Every structure is written in C-alpha cells, then in structure tokens.
C-alpha cells in the first residue's frame, strides 16, 4: 500500500515536471527567431498551397460556366444567323418576283 502511494506520488511529480518542462520549451521556442521563422515559412507555404488549390477550383468552375454560356450563346447566334439567311433568301425571291413583274 505504501509502495503504491509512493509510485502515485512519483507519477504526479513526473507529470508536473513534464508539464513545467514543456511550458518552458514552448516559451523558449516562441522566443527563438530561427524556429519561428521556420514555423512562419511552413504555415505560409501551406496557406499558399491551400489558396492556390481554391483558386484553381474557382478558375475551373468559371471556365465551365463560360463554356456553358458560350454553348447557349452559340445556339442563339446560330438561330439569328439562320433567321438572317431566311430573310435574305426571302428578299432575293421577292426581288426576283419584282424583277419579273
């Protein structure tokens, strides 16, 4: 029983020492300019990669939307051209009829 209490006391003491050492190490690393420069560089690189991926996805979506709009406008343009062709053919026929009369 006494042995178990000593083991528990040691475990608690080690945990406290470990937490203190980790806290001191965090403070030391935050004050270390070389470490912080490396952290900032890595975070910046990850953010740039994420931003580039998002921009690529947006650009792909815009390109698809442009293609869809072009297809729709191509159909409308084709219909207008066909309408003009019909009108020109009608005017030609009308001019031929006027010329015969």
């Amino acid at each position: 029983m006494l042995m178990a209490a000593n083991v528990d006391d040691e475990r608690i003491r080690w945990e406290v020492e470990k937490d203190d050492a980790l806290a001191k190490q965090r403070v030391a690393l935050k004050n270390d300019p070389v470490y912080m420069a490396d952290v900032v560089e890595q975070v910046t690189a990850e953010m740039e990669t994420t931003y580039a991926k998002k921009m690529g996805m947006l650009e792909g979506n815009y390109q698809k939307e442009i293609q869809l709009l072009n297809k729709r406008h191509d159909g409308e343009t084709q219909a207008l051209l066909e309408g003009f062709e019909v009108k020109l053919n009608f005017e030609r026929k009308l001019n031929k009829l006027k010329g015969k009369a």
Side-chain angles (χ1 to χ4, degrees):
M1 190 77 142
L2 183 62
M3 195 71 157
N6 284 342
V7 170
D8 286 340
D9 289 343
E10 281 293 313
R11 185 176 300 125
I12 291 170
R13 188 174 59 84
W14 288 340
E15 289 294 321
V16 169
E17 287 177 7
K18 180 185 79 169
D19 291 342
D20 288 343
L22 286 174
K24 288 177 183 177
Q25 186 178 18
R26 282 189 199 106
V27 170
L29 288 175
K30 285 182 181 178
N31 293 329
D32 183 6
V34 174
Y35 174 77
M36 288 308 293
D38 187 45
V39 169
V40 168
E41 183 180 323
Q42 288 179 0
V43 169
T44 302
E46 287 178 14
M47 292 303 294
E48 287 174 350
T49 301
T50 301
Y51 182 72
K53 286 179 183 177
K54 287 181 180 179
M55 290 304 294
M57 288 173 30
L58 279 175
E59 185 174 331
N61 287 341
Y62 289 147
Q63 290 299 327
K64 287 178 184 177
E65 191 172 331
I66 288 169
Q67 288 174 352
L68 290 173
L69 288 172
N70 283 339
K71 286 181 182 178
R72 185 173 65 190
H73 289 301
D74 285 347
E76 292 171 358
T77 303
Q78 185 64 32
L80 285 173
L81 289 174
E82 290 172 2
F84 286 132
E85 186 177 1
V86 168
K87 180 181 175 187
L88 285 174
N89 288 339
F90 176 76
E91 288 178 354
R92 286 182 191 144
K93 288 180 183 179
L94 186 63
N95 285 336
K96 282 183 183 179
L97 289 174
K98 284 183 182 177
K100 287 184 181 180

